[in-house]
Amino acid sequence: RAYLCALEMDAFGRRYSKEAQENGFPLGKTRVGVHSGEVIIGNFGGKTVFDYRALGDPINTAARLESVNKHLGTNVCISEKTLEGCSKARVRPVGRLVLKGKTEPLMVFEPISDSADEHYETAFNLLRDQDDKALEAFEKLAEERPDDPLVSLHLHRMEAGEQGDLIVMSSK
């Protein structure tokens, strides 16, 4: 349900932003981060401050996935933990992200609307395996898809000397 909700939120955000901009109201992007885990939900506070909220590390992780979209060029990031319960999800890998303030990498994916993206998957697997052919594969993809933010991200990473699918985020 979280995966489907993220897709619906993204679709609504894109439509609403487009309509608002057409009417002269500049709006930015809606970004969504989805992660799963055990949290505490309820009323917190006292007599002067009283909030209904969810607390726990999965909430923090989802918030960081939401904000990391801006650095990746994506709109929606979904953790592998969430996708474990989504047998029919159509996604492509972003990489193993070490989010700001975290020490363990988290495998992250971006939903895709079409069927499997075999060319991207092949290039990503070469990158993950630190194969010398990864740079060439991403260069070819960049020529075909100059507006694909994940292709650009990985190509620039490799051009800067980075290898593999591990991305350490220095900011939120």
Side-chain angles (χ1 to χ4, degrees):
R1 290 186 303 206
Y3 168 79
L4 294 175
C5 181
L7 295 180
E8 287 183 33
M9 289 171 60
D10 182 49
F12 174 82
R14 288 174 192 250
R15 279 192 317 270
Y16 187 78
S17 179
K18 182 181 177 192
E19 290 171 14
Q21 289 178 26
E22 288 171 354
N23 291 313
F25 298 104
L27 282 181
K29 286 185 172 187
T30 297
R31 296 182 177 100
V32 181
V34 183
H35 183 60
S36 299
E38 198 168 307
V39 299
I40 297 171
I41 298 176
N43 294 317
F44 295 92
K47 291 182 180 181
T48 58
V49 177
F50 192 70
D51 283 329
Y52 182 80
R53 64 174 54 188
L55 298 173
D57 189 60
I59 300 296
N60 183 27
T61 300
R64 289 176 193 243
L65 286 174
E66 178 272 326
S67 66
V68 82
N69 278 301
K70 124 180 95 176
H71 303 290
L72 301 172
T74 54
N75 287 346
V76 180
C77 280
I78 300 178
S79 73
E80 183 174 39
K81 179 78 174 162
T82 297
L83 289 177
E84 289 172 0
C86 303
S87 61
K88 295 182 182 179
R90 292 186 311 259
V91 295
R92 65 179 182 168
V94 171
R96 294 178 303 127
L97 304 183
V98 178
L99 300 170
K100 175 116 172 124
K102 304 286 184 179
T103 57
E104 295 295 317
L106 179 68
M107 189 64 197
V108 176
F109 298 83
E110 175 190 38
I112 55 175
S113 57
D114 300 327
S115 58
D117 187 348
E118 293 177 27
H119 297 289
Y120 177 87
E121 292 274 345
T122 300
F124 183 84
N125 290 338
L126 292 169
L127 173 69
R128 182 197 62 218
D129 297 340
Q130 298 185 20
D131 189 305
D132 292 338
K133 296 175 187 168
L135 179 59
E136 182 182 330
F138 273 98
E139 286 173 337
K140 183 177 179 188
L141 279 177
E143 287 177 18
E144 297 169 3
R145 309 173 189 185
D147 297 329
D148 187 323
L150 284 183
V151 169
S152 295
L153 171 79
H154 291 305
L155 179 58
H156 288 113
R157 289 181 57 244
M158 285 184 283
E159 290 173 341
E162 293 183 45
Q163 295 183 332
D165 65 337
L166 182 67
I167 304 170
V168 178
M169 301 306 301
S170 58
S171 60
K172 291 183 183 181

